[in-house]
Amino acid sequence: MPRNPNAKRRLLKTLYDLKFATIYNLAFESRGATKDSCLVGTGRHITQLERDGLVLPVRKYGYIRDERYRNTFWQVTKEGAQALGYEQYTPIGRKSVQNFPHQFGLIDTLCGLYFPFRDEYDIMITYPSTANSLDGYKPDAIVKYRHKLDGREYDFILEFERTRSPKAIYEEKIRMNEKITNFKKFGLSKQTKFLYVFTSENFDVTKRPVEYPECRPIIQRVEKQFGQLLRLAEKLPEYRYRFAILHQFKEYEKVVWISPTGHKMKIIA
């Protein structure tokens, strides 16, 4: 975390917007040369916020090795929301440790879509439930951007995939996406895009970017499988889909998103 007087408040606001995250996720902007040096500042701020009653751990069920930094999701308390000036507060329910890798990777993805844009845009992140699904389709998250000065709007429906094969993603998810034609029905702009972020089940989502050089063999396998997904998607509507790889999550504001025709581009030009 940057050393400035607003660092703890900005961290609290980030946690409120993301709804839940680990210290590993929240250390997005840290520039340490090692994993530990990347985490220490954010960990210190979370400890202080917990001491002040502004954040608390998300309860979990099932067994997982108890590592405070790696395996603990944090949430803002009602007092934390009030400290930010928000009346709306919804506590996070208990989470199963079986879903931990998916949720950890999803939050990394959302951090990549949040941190680089938060100063320029108001960002709203929601996690659709069965009750507020898109006619039975429940994506991992919906991300809405509203430019703070000129009001430009960008809406994205996000899917994070780590266990399905490229073929299963296409058959089980993308075919369902193609049935959604009226985004306005769900309060989304007609230019809404589907974002697919891919990795494999064998990639350790808790690895931090400073550790990626030692993960090169598995990263190469992920990239090969990602190429298979892109080939399946090449006939999809160009204006509706963008694809990226999880291990590039620190570069999501750059030209790393790939369209169905294979062009690299930014998600917000």
Side-chain angles (χ1 to χ4, degrees):
M1 290 292 299
R3 293 190 177 183
N4 64 69
N6 296 319
K8 281 194 295 183
R9 183 177 179 84
R10 279 169 67 83
L11 182 64
L12 188 65
K13 174 68 163 60
T14 297
L15 193 52
Y16 180 87
D17 289 339
L18 292 171
K19 310 300 189 290
F20 62 95
T22 71
I23 290 171
Y24 273 46
N25 304 129
L26 294 168
F28 182 91
E29 293 179 317
S30 299
R31 293 182 171 86
T34 66
K35 181 187 72 175
D36 290 343
S37 63
C38 286
L39 300 172
V40 62
T42 303
R44 182 173 62 249
H45 286 314
I46 286 292
T47 297
Q48 293 168 348
L49 290 168
E50 182 185 26
R51 179 197 62 201
D52 295 339
L54 303 180
V55 304
L56 82 166
V58 175
R59 292 180 302 157
K60 55 196 174 193
Y61 59 94
Y63 175 76
I64 191 171
R65 183 178 177 184
D66 190 13
E67 294 183 34
R68 179 180 171 89
Y69 276 19
R70 185 195 306 263
N71 296 332
T72 302
F73 284 118
W74 294 88
Q75 63 177 316
V76 172
T77 63
K78 184 175 182 179
E79 292 75 16
Q82 291 173 342
L84 292 169
Y86 296 115
E87 294 184 3
Q88 182 176 351
Y89 172 72
T90 304
I92 303 297
R94 289 200 309 160
K95 291 189 173 296
S96 169
V97 299
Q98 291 185 338
N99 294 330
F100 175 80
H102 177 85
Q103 293 182 324
F104 189 105
L106 174 62
I107 297 299
D108 262 352
T109 297
L110 288 165
C111 284
L113 294 169
Y114 178 87
F115 278 93
F117 301 100
R118 64 177 173 174
D119 292 332
E120 190 174 358
Y121 293 88
D122 290 318
I123 304 172
M124 183 172 71
I125 297 168
T126 57
Y127 305 94
S129 65
T130 302
N132 62 356
S133 66
L134 282 60
D135 284 346
Y137 165 60
K138 190 172 69 171
D140 284 323
I142 294 176
V143 186
K144 295 185 175 185
Y145 297 87
R146 300 297 180 266
H147 196 277
K148 293 181 179 180
L149 296 180
D150 61 28
R152 280 177 292 148
E153 300 182 357
Y154 301 92
D155 294 340
F156 299 98
I157 297 173
L158 174 65
E159 290 283 4
F160 169 59
E161 296 291 345
R162 61 174 292 274
T163 57
R164 287 181 175 86
S165 68
K167 184 177 180 180
I169 293 170
Y170 187 83
E171 296 290 339
E172 298 171 13
K173 286 293 187 74
I174 293 177
R175 285 192 183 277
M176 189 179 296
N177 299 158
E178 283 299 277
K179 296 178 181 179
I180 299 176
T181 57
N182 184 7
F183 290 117
K184 288 188 176 181
K185 177 181 178 180
F186 308 109
L188 302 170
S189 67
K190 64 180 181 180
Q191 294 87 13
T192 297
K193 291 180 175 57
F194 292 96
L195 303 181
Y196 273 82
V197 172
F198 178 82
T199 192
S200 79
E201 195 170 13
N202 296 322
F203 179 75
D204 183 355
V205 295
T206 67
K207 290 289 187 182
R208 296 300 81 195
V210 294
E211 301 175 281
Y212 286 172
E214 66 191 52
C215 304
R216 193 59 200 163
I218 184 61
I219 284 176
Q220 289 174 337
R221 290 197 290 273
V222 169
E223 291 171 346
K224 182 178 180 179
Q225 289 179 284
F226 183 59
Q228 296 171 4
L229 176 60
L230 294 178
R231 286 191 291 275
L232 289 169
E234 62 186 4
K235 293 184 180 180
L236 292 171
E238 181 79 356
Y239 63 92
R240 279 170 63 98
Y241 293 90
R242 299 291 182 266
F243 300 87
I245 308 178
L246 175 65
H247 57 259
Q248 291 183 317
F249 76 96
K250 279 211 169 187
E251 300 179 297
Y252 282 170
E253 82 280 14
K254 300 177 182 178
V255 186
V256 298
W257 294 89
I258 302 178
S259 71
T261 56
H263 291 92
K264 287 190 175 182
M265 54 187 62
K266 295 182 177 181
I267 58 166
I268 296 181

PDB file of all heavy atoms in Angstrom, residues 190-216:
ATOM      1  N   LYS A 190     -26.796  -1.266 -23.578  1.00  0.00           N
ATOM      2  CA  LYS A 190     -26.884  -2.157 -24.743  1.00  0.00           C
ATOM      3  C   LYS A 190     -25.508  -2.539 -25.270  1.00  0.00           C
ATOM      4  O   LYS A 190     -25.376  -3.493 -26.029  1.00  0.00           O
ATOM      5  CB  LYS A 190     -27.718  -1.513 -25.842  1.00  0.00           C
ATOM      6  CG  LYS A 190     -27.147  -0.236 -26.426  1.00  0.00           C
ATOM      7  CD  LYS A 190     -28.073   0.324 -27.511  1.00  0.00           C
ATOM      8  CE  LYS A 190     -27.512   1.595 -28.133  1.00  0.00           C
ATOM      9  NZ  LYS A 190     -28.418   2.133 -29.178  1.00  0.00           N
ATOM     10  N   GLN A 191     -24.455  -1.822 -24.877  1.00  0.00           N
ATOM     11  CA  GLN A 191     -23.085  -2.145 -25.297  1.00  0.00           C
ATOM     12  C   GLN A 191     -22.377  -3.089 -24.326  1.00  0.00           C
ATOM     13  O   GLN A 191     -21.174  -3.298 -24.417  1.00  0.00           O
ATOM     14  CB  GLN A 191     -22.252  -0.859 -25.435  1.00  0.00           C
ATOM     15  CG  GLN A 191     -22.687   0.071 -26.545  1.00  0.00           C
ATOM     16  CD  GLN A 191     -23.770   1.049 -26.099  1.00  0.00           C
ATOM     17  OE1 GLN A 191     -24.011   1.180 -24.904  1.00  0.00           O
ATOM     18  NE2 GLN A 191     -24.406   1.720 -27.042  1.00  0.00           N
ATOM     19  N   THR A 192     -23.123  -3.654 -23.385  1.00  0.00           N
ATOM     20  CA  THR A 192     -22.532  -4.550 -22.386  1.00  0.00           C
ATOM     21  C   THR A 192     -21.724  -5.669 -23.049  1.00  0.00           C
ATOM     22  O   THR A 192     -22.148  -6.238 -24.049  1.00  0.00           O
ATOM     23  CB  THR A 192     -23.636  -5.160 -21.502  1.00  0.00           C
ATOM     24  OG1 THR A 192     -24.286  -4.110 -20.779  1.00  0.00           O
ATOM     25  CG2 THR A 192     -23.058  -6.169 -20.511  1.00  0.00           C
ATOM     26  N   LYS A 193     -20.572  -5.955 -22.451  1.00  0.00           N
ATOM     27  CA  LYS A 193     -19.712  -7.025 -22.973  1.00  0.00           C
ATOM     28  C   LYS A 193     -19.539  -8.132 -21.934  1.00  0.00           C
ATOM     29  O   LYS A 193     -19.565  -7.879 -20.726  1.00  0.00           O
ATOM     30  CB  LYS A 193     -18.346  -6.468 -23.367  1.00  0.00           C
ATOM     31  CG  LYS A 193     -18.369  -5.559 -24.592  1.00  0.00           C
ATOM     32  CD  LYS A 193     -16.984  -5.045 -24.910  1.00  0.00           C
ATOM     33  CE  LYS A 193     -16.995  -4.237 -26.207  1.00  0.00           C
ATOM     34  NZ  LYS A 193     -17.953  -3.110 -26.160  1.00  0.00           N
ATOM     35  N   PHE A 194     -19.339  -9.343 -22.434  1.00  0.00           N
ATOM     36  CA  PHE A 194     -18.982 -10.475 -21.586  1.00  0.00           C
ATOM     37  C   PHE A 194     -17.459 -10.554 -21.499  1.00  0.00           C
ATOM     38  O   PHE A 194     -16.769 -10.554 -22.522  1.00  0.00           O
ATOM     39  CB  PHE A 194     -19.520 -11.785 -22.169  1.00  0.00           C
ATOM     40  CG  PHE A 194     -21.017 -11.898 -22.133  1.00  0.00           C
ATOM     41  CD1 PHE A 194     -21.784 -11.571 -23.244  1.00  0.00           C
ATOM     42  CD2 PHE A 194     -21.668 -12.330 -20.987  1.00  0.00           C
ATOM     43  CE1 PHE A 194     -23.163 -11.678 -23.216  1.00  0.00           C
ATOM     44  CE2 PHE A 194     -23.044 -12.445 -20.949  1.00  0.00           C
ATOM     45  CZ  PHE A 194     -23.806 -12.113 -22.074  1.00  0.00           C
ATOM     46  N   LEU A 195     -16.949 -10.618 -20.275  1.00  0.00           N
ATOM     47  CA  LEU A 195     -15.519 -10.790 -20.045  1.00  0.00           C
ATOM     48  C   LEU A 195     -15.282 -12.201 -19.535  1.00  0.00           C
ATOM     49  O   LEU A 195     -15.886 -12.617 -18.543  1.00  0.00           O
ATOM     50  CB  LEU A 195     -15.002  -9.789 -19.010  1.00  0.00           C
ATOM     51  CG  LEU A 195     -15.203  -8.303 -19.280  1.00  0.00           C
ATOM     52  CD1 LEU A 195     -14.590  -7.485 -18.139  1.00  0.00           C
ATOM     53  CD2 LEU A 195     -14.589  -7.897 -20.609  1.00  0.00           C
ATOM     54  N   TYR A 196     -14.404 -12.927 -20.217  1.00  0.00           N
ATOM     55  CA  TYR A 196     -14.020 -14.257 -19.764  1.00  0.00           C
ATOM     56  C   TYR A 196     -12.548 -14.239 -19.356  1.00  0.00           C
ATOM     57  O   TYR A 196     -11.683 -13.890 -20.160  1.00  0.00           O
ATOM     58  CB  TYR A 196     -14.249 -15.294 -20.865  1.00  0.00           C
ATOM     59  CG  TYR A 196     -15.652 -15.849 -20.860  1.00  0.00           C
ATOM     60  CD1 TYR A 196     -16.691 -15.162 -21.472  1.00  0.00           C
ATOM     61  CD2 TYR A 196     -15.941 -17.041 -20.200  1.00  0.00           C
ATOM     62  CE1 TYR A 196     -17.995 -15.658 -21.445  1.00  0.00           C
ATOM     63  CE2 TYR A 196     -17.233 -17.551 -20.169  1.00  0.00           C
ATOM     64  CZ  TYR A 196     -18.249 -16.855 -20.790  1.00  0.00           C
ATOM     65  OH  TYR A 196     -19.537 -17.343 -20.743  1.00  0.00           O
ATOM     66  N   VAL A 197     -12.297 -14.588 -18.101  1.00  0.00           N
ATOM     67  CA  VAL A 197     -10.923 -14.672 -17.584  1.00  0.00           C
ATOM     68  C   VAL A 197     -10.638 -16.140 -17.302  1.00  0.00           C
ATOM     69  O   VAL A 197     -11.385 -16.808 -16.580  1.00  0.00           O
ATOM     70  CB  VAL A 197     -10.752 -13.816 -16.328  1.00  0.00           C
ATOM     71  CG1 VAL A 197      -9.390 -14.063 -15.693  1.00  0.00           C
ATOM     72  CG2 VAL A 197     -10.926 -12.338 -16.670  1.00  0.00           C
ATOM     73  N   PHE A 198      -9.542 -16.621 -17.865  1.00  0.00           N
ATOM     74  CA  PHE A 198      -9.268 -18.060 -17.879  1.00  0.00           C
ATOM     75  C   PHE A 198      -7.968 -18.415 -17.161  1.00  0.00           C
ATOM     76  O   PHE A 198      -6.986 -17.682 -17.227  1.00  0.00           O
ATOM     77  CB  PHE A 198      -9.172 -18.538 -19.337  1.00  0.00           C
ATOM     78  CG  PHE A 198      -8.853 -19.998 -19.486  1.00  0.00           C
ATOM     79  CD1 PHE A 198      -9.843 -20.959 -19.389  1.00  0.00           C
ATOM     80  CD2 PHE A 198      -7.546 -20.413 -19.722  1.00  0.00           C
ATOM     81  CE1 PHE A 198      -9.550 -22.312 -19.523  1.00  0.00           C
ATOM     82  CE2 PHE A 198      -7.234 -21.760 -19.866  1.00  0.00           C
ATOM     83  CZ  PHE A 198      -8.241 -22.711 -19.764  1.00  0.00           C
ATOM     84  N   THR A 199      -7.998 -19.537 -16.460  1.00  0.00           N
ATOM     85  CA  THR A 199      -6.787 -20.206 -16.010  1.00  0.00           C
ATOM     86  C   THR A 199      -7.124 -21.690 -15.907  1.00  0.00           C
ATOM     87  O   THR A 199      -8.228 -22.097 -16.263  1.00  0.00           O
ATOM     88  CB  THR A 199      -6.253 -19.648 -14.680  1.00  0.00           C
ATOM     89  OG1 THR A 199      -4.934 -20.164 -14.457  1.00  0.00           O
ATOM     90  CG2 THR A 199      -7.133 -20.018 -13.506  1.00  0.00           C
ATOM     91  N   SER A 200      -6.187 -22.494 -15.424  1.00  0.00           N
ATOM     92  CA  SER A 200      -6.469 -23.927 -15.280  1.00  0.00           C
ATOM     93  C   SER A 200      -6.528 -24.288 -13.805  1.00  0.00           C
ATOM     94  O   SER A 200      -6.040 -23.563 -12.932  1.00  0.00           O
ATOM     95  CB  SER A 200      -5.404 -24.765 -15.987  1.00  0.00           C
ATOM     96  OG  SER A 200      -4.238 -24.854 -15.178  1.00  0.00           O
ATOM     97  N   GLU A 201      -7.112 -25.441 -13.531  1.00  0.00           N
ATOM     98  CA  GLU A 201      -7.255 -25.910 -12.156  1.00  0.00           C
ATOM     99  C   GLU A 201      -5.897 -26.173 -11.520  1.00  0.00           C
ATOM    100  O   GLU A 201      -5.753 -26.145 -10.291  1.00  0.00           O
ATOM    101  CB  GLU A 201      -8.099 -27.182 -12.161  1.00  0.00           C
ATOM    102  CG  GLU A 201      -8.637 -27.585 -10.808  1.00  0.00           C
ATOM    103  CD  GLU A 201      -9.664 -28.696 -10.907  1.00  0.00           C
ATOM    104  OE1 GLU A 201      -9.773 -29.314 -11.990  1.00  0.00           O
ATOM    105  OE2 GLU A 201     -10.350 -28.955  -9.902  1.00  0.00           O
ATOM    106  N   ASN A 202      -4.873 -26.411 -12.328  1.00  0.00           N
ATOM    107  CA  ASN A 202      -3.537 -26.709 -11.802  1.00  0.00           C
ATOM    108  C   ASN A 202      -2.721 -25.465 -11.472  1.00  0.00           C
ATOM    109  O   ASN A 202      -1.657 -25.568 -10.858  1.00  0.00           O
ATOM    110  CB  ASN A 202      -2.765 -27.558 -12.813  1.00  0.00           C
ATOM    111  CG  ASN A 202      -3.399 -28.924 -13.025  1.00  0.00           C
ATOM    112  OD1 ASN A 202      -3.890 -29.523 -12.076  1.00  0.00           O
ATOM    113  ND2 ASN A 202      -3.415 -29.402 -14.256  1.00  0.00           N
ATOM    114  N   PHE A 203      -3.206 -24.299 -11.888  1.00  0.00           N
ATOM    115  CA  PHE A 203      -2.491 -23.056 -11.581  1.00  0.00           C
ATOM    116  C   PHE A 203      -2.865 -22.596 -10.179  1.00  0.00           C
ATOM    117  O   PHE A 203      -4.049 -22.469  -9.843  1.00  0.00           O
ATOM    118  CB  PHE A 203      -2.854 -21.978 -12.606  1.00  0.00           C
ATOM    119  CG  PHE A 203      -2.164 -20.659 -12.351  1.00  0.00           C
ATOM    120  CD1 PHE A 203      -0.826 -20.489 -12.635  1.00  0.00           C
ATOM    121  CD2 PHE A 203      -2.868 -19.584 -11.804  1.00  0.00           C
ATOM    122  CE1 PHE A 203      -0.187 -19.284 -12.392  1.00  0.00           C
ATOM    123  CE2 PHE A 203      -2.246 -18.369 -11.567  1.00  0.00           C
ATOM    124  CZ  PHE A 203      -0.897 -18.223 -11.855  1.00  0.00           C
ATOM    125  N   ASP A 204      -1.868 -22.361  -9.337  1.00  0.00           N
ATOM    126  CA  ASP A 204      -2.095 -21.919  -7.961  1.00  0.00           C
ATOM    127  C   ASP A 204      -2.468 -20.442  -7.973  1.00  0.00           C
ATOM    128  O   ASP A 204      -1.609 -19.572  -8.144  1.00  0.00           O
ATOM    129  CB  ASP A 204      -0.837 -22.152  -7.121  1.00  0.00           C
ATOM    130  CG  ASP A 204      -1.021 -21.770  -5.656  1.00  0.00           C
ATOM    131  OD1 ASP A 204      -2.096 -21.237  -5.297  1.00  0.00           O
ATOM    132  OD2 ASP A 204      -0.081 -21.998  -4.867  1.00  0.00           O
ATOM    133  N   VAL A 205      -3.756 -20.163  -7.778  1.00  0.00           N
ATOM    134  CA  VAL A 205      -4.230 -18.779  -7.878  1.00  0.00           C
ATOM    135  C   VAL A 205      -3.654 -17.886  -6.792  1.00  0.00           C
ATOM    136  O   VAL A 205      -3.672 -16.652  -6.926  1.00  0.00           O
ATOM    137  CB  VAL A 205      -5.777 -18.720  -7.827  1.00  0.00           C
ATOM    138  CG1 VAL A 205      -6.387 -19.408  -9.038  1.00  0.00           C
ATOM    139  CG2 VAL A 205      -6.310 -19.319  -6.527  1.00  0.00           C
ATOM    140  N   THR A 206      -3.140 -18.466  -5.706  1.00  0.00           N
ATOM    141  CA  THR A 206      -2.604 -17.641  -4.635  1.00  0.00           C
ATOM    142  C   THR A 206      -1.171 -17.173  -4.896  1.00  0.00           C
ATOM    143  O   THR A 206      -0.636 -16.358  -4.140  1.00  0.00           O
ATOM    144  CB  THR A 206      -2.640 -18.379  -3.283  1.00  0.00           C
ATOM    145  OG1 THR A 206      -1.735 -19.478  -3.309  1.00  0.00           O
ATOM    146  CG2 THR A 206      -4.045 -18.872  -2.977  1.00  0.00           C
ATOM    147  N   LYS A 207      -0.559 -17.686  -5.958  1.00  0.00           N
ATOM    148  CA  LYS A 207       0.775 -17.195  -6.307  1.00  0.00           C
ATOM    149  C   LYS A 207       0.688 -15.711  -6.676  1.00  0.00           C
ATOM    150  O   LYS A 207      -0.219 -15.280  -7.385  1.00  0.00           O
ATOM    151  CB  LYS A 207       1.346 -17.974  -7.490  1.00  0.00           C
ATOM    152  CG  LYS A 207       1.721 -19.412  -7.194  1.00  0.00           C
ATOM    153  CD  LYS A 207       2.960 -19.505  -6.312  1.00  0.00           C
ATOM    154  CE  LYS A 207       3.418 -20.942  -6.159  1.00  0.00           C
ATOM    155  NZ  LYS A 207       4.602 -21.041  -5.273  1.00  0.00           N
ATOM    156  N   ARG A 208       1.650 -14.934  -6.206  1.00  0.00           N
ATOM    157  CA  ARG A 208       1.683 -13.510  -6.535  1.00  0.00           C
ATOM    158  C   ARG A 208       2.575 -13.286  -7.763  1.00  0.00           C
ATOM    159  O   ARG A 208       3.477 -14.088  -8.049  1.00  0.00           O
ATOM    160  CB  ARG A 208       2.213 -12.697  -5.348  1.00  0.00           C
ATOM    161  CG  ARG A 208       1.309 -12.773  -4.100  1.00  0.00           C
ATOM    162  CD  ARG A 208      -0.104 -12.236  -4.365  1.00  0.00           C
ATOM    163  NE  ARG A 208      -0.967 -13.203  -5.025  1.00  0.00           N
ATOM    164  CZ  ARG A 208      -2.135 -12.912  -5.622  1.00  0.00           C
ATOM    165  NH1 ARG A 208      -2.538 -11.665  -5.661  1.00  0.00           N
ATOM    166  NH2 ARG A 208      -2.843 -13.852  -6.181  1.00  0.00           N
ATOM    167  N   PRO A 209       2.358 -12.207  -8.507  1.00  0.00           N
ATOM    168  CA  PRO A 209       3.128 -11.979  -9.733  1.00  0.00           C
ATOM    169  C   PRO A 209       4.646 -12.068  -9.567  1.00  0.00           C
ATOM    170  O   PRO A 209       5.334 -12.500 -10.487  1.00  0.00           O
ATOM    171  CB  PRO A 209       2.673 -10.582 -10.159  1.00  0.00           C
ATOM    172  CG  PRO A 209       1.251 -10.525  -9.709  1.00  0.00           C
ATOM    173  CD  PRO A 209       1.241 -11.234  -8.373  1.00  0.00           C
ATOM    174  N   VAL A 210       5.162 -11.693  -8.387  1.00  0.00           N
ATOM    175  CA  VAL A 210       6.617 -11.790  -8.192  1.00  0.00           C
ATOM    176  C   VAL A 210       7.084 -13.241  -8.187  1.00  0.00           C
ATOM    177  O   VAL A 210       8.274 -13.518  -8.355  1.00  0.00           O
ATOM    178  CB  VAL A 210       7.064 -11.089  -6.890  1.00  0.00           C
ATOM    179  CG1 VAL A 210       6.828  -9.588  -6.969  1.00  0.00           C
ATOM    180  CG2 VAL A 210       6.364 -11.691  -5.673  1.00  0.00           C
ATOM    181  N   GLU A 211       6.139 -14.181  -8.023  1.00  0.00           N
ATOM    182  CA  GLU A 211       6.478 -15.601  -8.011  1.00  0.00           C
ATOM    183  C   GLU A 211       6.261 -16.266  -9.370  1.00  0.00           C
ATOM    184  O   GLU A 211       6.607 -17.444  -9.538  1.00  0.00           O
ATOM    185  CB  GLU A 211       5.616 -16.334  -6.964  1.00  0.00           C
ATOM    186  CG  GLU A 211       5.771 -15.824  -5.546  1.00  0.00           C
ATOM    187  CD  GLU A 211       4.809 -16.512  -4.603  1.00  0.00           C
ATOM    188  OE1 GLU A 211       3.625 -16.140  -4.579  1.00  0.00           O
ATOM    189  OE2 GLU A 211       5.241 -17.444  -3.891  1.00  0.00           O
ATOM    190  N   TYR A 212       5.722 -15.554 -10.327  1.00  0.00           N
ATOM    191  CA  TYR A 212       5.377 -16.165 -11.612  1.00  0.00           C
ATOM    192  C   TYR A 212       6.564 -16.762 -12.370  1.00  0.00           C
ATOM    193  O   TYR A 212       6.390 -17.765 -13.075  1.00  0.00           O
ATOM    194  CB  TYR A 212       4.653 -15.162 -12.506  1.00  0.00           C
ATOM    195  CG  TYR A 212       3.214 -14.892 -12.094  1.00  0.00           C
ATOM    196  CD1 TYR A 212       2.471 -13.890 -12.712  1.00  0.00           C
ATOM    197  CD2 TYR A 212       2.585 -15.636 -11.091  1.00  0.00           C
ATOM    198  CE1 TYR A 212       1.149 -13.641 -12.345  1.00  0.00           C
ATOM    199  CE2 TYR A 212       1.283 -15.385 -10.718  1.00  0.00           C
ATOM    200  CZ  TYR A 212       0.564 -14.379 -11.348  1.00  0.00           C
ATOM    201  OH  TYR A 212      -0.739 -14.137 -10.991  1.00  0.00           O
ATOM    202  N   PRO A 213       7.764 -16.183 -12.282  1.00  0.00           N
ATOM    203  CA  PRO A 213       8.880 -16.810 -13.011  1.00  0.00           C
ATOM    204  C   PRO A 213       9.095 -18.281 -12.669  1.00  0.00           C
ATOM    205  O   PRO A 213       9.464 -19.079 -13.525  1.00  0.00           O
ATOM    206  CB  PRO A 213      10.086 -15.943 -12.606  1.00  0.00           C
ATOM    207  CG  PRO A 213       9.490 -14.595 -12.370  1.00  0.00           C
ATOM    208  CD  PRO A 213       8.159 -14.874 -11.712  1.00  0.00           C
ATOM    209  N   GLU A 214       8.833 -18.664 -11.418  1.00  0.00           N
ATOM    210  CA  GLU A 214       9.009 -20.062 -11.026  1.00  0.00           C
ATOM    211  C   GLU A 214       7.826 -20.937 -11.459  1.00  0.00           C
ATOM    212  O   GLU A 214       7.874 -22.159 -11.334  1.00  0.00           O
ATOM    213  CB  GLU A 214       9.189 -20.168  -9.508  1.00  0.00           C
ATOM    214  CG  GLU A 214       7.971 -19.777  -8.700  1.00  0.00           C
ATOM    215  CD  GLU A 214       8.248 -19.634  -7.217  1.00  0.00           C
ATOM    216  OE1 GLU A 214       9.188 -18.914  -6.854  1.00  0.00           O
ATOM    217  OE2 GLU A 214       7.513 -20.263  -6.426  1.00  0.00           O
ATOM    218  N   CYS A 215       6.772 -20.298 -11.970  1.00  0.00           N
ATOM    219  CA  CYS A 215       5.570 -21.022 -12.412  1.00  0.00           C
ATOM    220  C   CYS A 215       5.493 -21.127 -13.932  1.00  0.00           C
ATOM    221  O   CYS A 215       4.432 -21.459 -14.469  1.00  0.00           O
ATOM    222  CB  CYS A 215       4.305 -20.312 -11.910  1.00  0.00           C
ATOM    223  SG  CYS A 215       4.223 -20.053 -10.139  1.00  0.00           S
ATOM    224  N   ARG A 216       6.586 -20.842 -14.626  1.00  0.00           N
ATOM    225  CA  ARG A 216       6.513 -20.737 -16.080  1.00  0.00           C
ATOM    226  C   ARG A 216       5.977 -21.987 -16.778  1.00  0.00           C
ATOM    227  O   ARG A 216       5.171 -21.867 -17.704  1.00  0.00           O
ATOM    228  CB  ARG A 216       7.905 -20.384 -16.636  1.00  0.00           C
ATOM    229  CG  ARG A 216       7.875 -19.935 -18.091  1.00  0.00           C
ATOM    230  CD  ARG A 216       6.980 -18.717 -18.261  1.00  0.00           C
ATOM    231  NE  ARG A 216       6.556 -18.569 -19.654  1.00  0.00           N
ATOM    232  CZ  ARG A 216       5.528 -17.816 -20.048  1.00  0.00           C
ATOM    233  NH1 ARG A 216       4.841 -17.154 -19.151  1.00  0.00           N
ATOM    234  NH2 ARG A 216       5.208 -17.730 -21.306  1.00  0.00           N
TER     235      ARG A 216
END
